[in-house]
């Protein structure tokens, strides 16, 4: 197992990567600060250990390190073992999951790298809710989407809450930033993707019949405003998920899950 180091002083500087996680001004996962990626809980830490995000330290209680013993075997990373009380004082709140891992952000993947082997991608525009982002990644992993691409005005997918809600799948599903939409859609088109804008407009074609390409890019906008008219106009087709009358829209993560499922069903 990796080296386990017992710490009982919440002020120990070796724990600084995990300090004040609830303080917006000092959070270590802000890109402009330390730019760390924080994994919470044994499942998410396991997925970090199996990803390209290499942890530089772990903090947790004894029971969680025992549960992670196999995954930590041979991993060269310090594991700071402490009590739940000390851990709560360090991070700023009581952490039921009992273990954290901190990793530096690796070099970002390019859109071209992500698209090279992908057949189904989600393209997001204006999605700034971290729980929705995390849920979209979890749905992408569970339903076989190959990648997530970020257009304009999207939040950081490596924010701690997004990583947690995704159950660590944001660390596994490739993602990349696109140049500004809608002109960046030409990159998708050159790579052979059918570009489908999802909309609740009842005049749009049903997604089940609109999705005909061997490669498909599903465009999703923020709840409320949805995709911009310019982005929808630049897509190949506008498609909708059937809903009962009187329902104006679906949660964007739910819509993404249904679109991913429809893609799986069509193949």
């Amino acid at each position: 197992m990796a080296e386990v180091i017992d710490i009982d002083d919440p002020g120990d500087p070796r724990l600084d990567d995990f300090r004040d996680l609830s303080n917006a001004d000092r959070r270590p996962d802000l890109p402009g600060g330390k730019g760390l990626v924080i994994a919470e809980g044994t499942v998410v830490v396991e997925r970090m250990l199996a990803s390209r995000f290499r942890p530089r330290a772990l903090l947790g209680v004894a029971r969680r390190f025992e549960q992670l013993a196999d995954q930590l075997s041979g991993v060269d990373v310090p594991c700071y073992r402490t009590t739940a009380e000390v851990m709560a004082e360090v991070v700023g709140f009581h952490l039921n999951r009992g273990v954290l891992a901190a990793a530096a952000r690796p070099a970002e993947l390019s859109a071209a790298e992500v698209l090279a082997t992908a057949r189904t991608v989600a393209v997001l525009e204006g999605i700034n809710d971290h729980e929705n982002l995390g849920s979209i990644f979890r749905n992408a992993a569970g339903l076989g989407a190959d990648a997530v691409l970020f257009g304009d005005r999207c939040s950081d997918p490596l924010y701690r809450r997004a990583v947690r809600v995704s159950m660590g799948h944001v660390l596994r599903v490739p993602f990349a930033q696109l140049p500004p939409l809608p002109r960046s859609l030409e990159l998708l088109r050159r790579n052979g993707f059918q570009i489908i804008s999802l909309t609740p407009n009842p005049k749009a074609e049903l997604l089940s019949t609109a999705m005909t390409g061997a490669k498909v890019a599903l465009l999703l906008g923020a709840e409320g405003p949805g995709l911009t008219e310019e982005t929808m106009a630049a897509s190949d087709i506008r498609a909708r998920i059937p809903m009962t009358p009187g329902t104006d829209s679906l949660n964007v993560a739910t819509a993404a899950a249904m679109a991913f499922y429809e893609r799986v069903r069509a193949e």
Side-chain angles (χ1 to χ4, degrees), residues 27-36 105 108 155-159:
R27 273 201 350 256
D29 57 335
L30 290 174
K34 286 188 174 183
L36 299 180
R105 296 183 183 222
E108 293 185 4
S155 293
D156 178 17
L158 297 177
Y159 174 62

